[in-house]
Amino acid sequence: RSQWGDTDSGDLLAAMLRPPDPPGVLFIASFRSDERHTPVIRAILNLRNNDDAVLDIRELEVGELSPASARELVLALAEKEAKVAPTRADAIAQESGGSPIFIDELVRTLGEAEPAQLTLDAAIYRRVSALPDDARRVLEVLAVTRSPVSWDACGNAAGIHQETRAAAMDVLRRQRLVRAHKTGEREQFEVYHARIADTVIGHLAEPDLKNCHHRVA
């Protein structure tokens, strides 16, 4: 099980799986649609272009959960958190848009929010507002940029000291608020999901938002 792959990983897998005698192995890789051209995924998919290939390479697109599946996941997760009425389970499934990560986010708020306040925006912001100051400032920068940002640019725009940047980013990554892209020695960061960025920006006061744009620029 690996959390990420790089150029060397892709080259190694491609070499192992090439004809004439590839090993008998079931290899499953998951990736987001915008990561299709990363080295490791590209190396695997390019094996299909080999006329001598004896590999059975299939792609399965995993979209949002259906309403029924979303409701089933709500009830399964809620067993660990709190009892949930069927109508509330349906409301959570609908509010999540079928996204498993947001279903989990909403279920975690059970017992902490009134039913009328059980919105995805409120659930995300509850966690964002509880972040340490350094981590919150980094998240604000990434929400404003809407694109991958280098380590130095992110820390400089957030205005946090070099020695505390690693701790701030570690908090954000562990809470699935930020994700990283690594190509060789270059690592960039971006908000985990656009909905998170929308929530962060939506709760910034106008002067703070302008100031953040200025620091990013």
Side-chain angles (χ1 to χ4, degrees), residues 79-110:
E79 287 183 2
K80 304 174 184 178
E81 301 289 340
K83 295 298 182 181
V84 57
T87 54
R88 203 172 189 192
D90 289 336
I92 292 174
Q94 182 176 2
E95 178 68 16
S96 71
S99 169
I101 188 173
F102 291 144
I103 289 174
D104 180 64
E105 190 75 42
L106 287 162
V107 169
R108 288 173 184 268
T109 67
L110 289 172

Side-chain angles (χ1 to χ4, degrees), residues 113-164:
E114 295 298 324
Q117 299 174 335
L118 192 63
T119 65
L120 183 54
D121 180 80
I124 293 172
Y125 186 65
R126 183 177 290 106
R127 192 146 57 91
V128 170
S129 61
L131 289 170
D133 287 344
D134 283 355
R136 180 177 46 76
R137 288 202 297 272
V138 169
L139 186 60
E140 290 171 357
V141 166
L142 294 177
V144 165
T145 61
R146 295 281 182 159
S147 60
V149 179
S150 70
W151 173 265
D152 287 336
C154 184
N156 291 339
I160 59 177
H161 297 297
Q162 187 76 33
E163 58 269 19
T164 62

